[in-house]
Amino acid sequence: MRTALKHQPDIGPVLYGLEGPARARKLVEGLEHEERVRRSADLRAERFVKAWEGLSREQQGVALKDLKRDTQLASVLREKSRELGIRKGSTLDHALHAPQREHSLSRSRSRDRGWDMGM
């Protein structure tokens, strides 16, 4: 419910303005929408990008830590970055692609040193 109130501004007036079955129906719709967002990486990605710009540097750091735990979301953000409006070279763009660059750099360094197991 807290997430619905945070991300769906029309839920607040329903919670405090309506009564009876109309109130219950609107609240259930809000909760069902939040469940769809929770299950859909595409919807979570849209929400993540929308919220990103409003975050402080510290909050962005926390968001990136959360993103590391949601690999499905990170993948969608990388794959659909242009479609989602993530500007190339932006902080979010760098954060999304840094792990890939780091991985490819470490693999190439390993090969240079003869550490690649596929030798």
Side-chain angles (χ1 to χ4, degrees), residues 1 5 12 14 16 21 26 31 35-36 41 52 56 69 71-72 76 80 87 91 95 98-100 102 104-105 109 112:
M1 179 55 92
L5 285 167
V14 167
Y16 302 109
K26 287 290 189 181
L31 294 173
E35 181 63 18
R36 284 190 299 277
W52 179 261
S56 69
R69 289 190 295 268
T71 56
Q72 187 181 31
V76 169
K80 297 184 175 185
R87 293 183 315 275
T91 308
Q100 290 177 329
E102 190 71 28
S104 65
L105 279 174
R109 287 179 189 144
D112 290 345

Side-chain angles (χ1 to χ4, degrees), residues 48 52-65 91:
F48 187 92
W52 179 261
E53 291 301 320
L55 299 176
S56 69
R57 291 277 181 203
E58 184 179 330
Q59 291 169 323
Q60 286 178 349
V62 172
L64 290 175
K65 285 180 184 176
T91 308

Side-chain angles (χ1 to χ4, degrees), residues 29-82:
E29 287 171 7
L31 294 173
E32 288 172 343
H33 176 73
E34 289 307 311
E35 181 63 18
R36 284 190 299 277
V37 170
R38 190 180 70 74
R39 290 175 184 245
S40 168
D42 289 335
L43 293 175
R44 288 194 319 276
E46 288 174 18
R47 183 174 280 176
F48 187 92
V49 171
K50 192 181 293 184
W52 179 261
E53 291 301 320
L55 299 176
S56 69
R57 291 277 181 203
E58 184 179 330
Q59 291 169 323
Q60 286 178 349
V62 172
L64 290 175
K65 285 180 184 176
D66 291 342
L67 188 59
K68 286 181 181 179
R69 289 190 295 268
D70 191 342
T71 56
Q72 187 181 31
L73 173 59
S75 177
V76 169
L77 286 167
R78 278 191 294 276
E79 290 172 14
K80 297 184 175 185
S81 59
R82 176 179 278 164

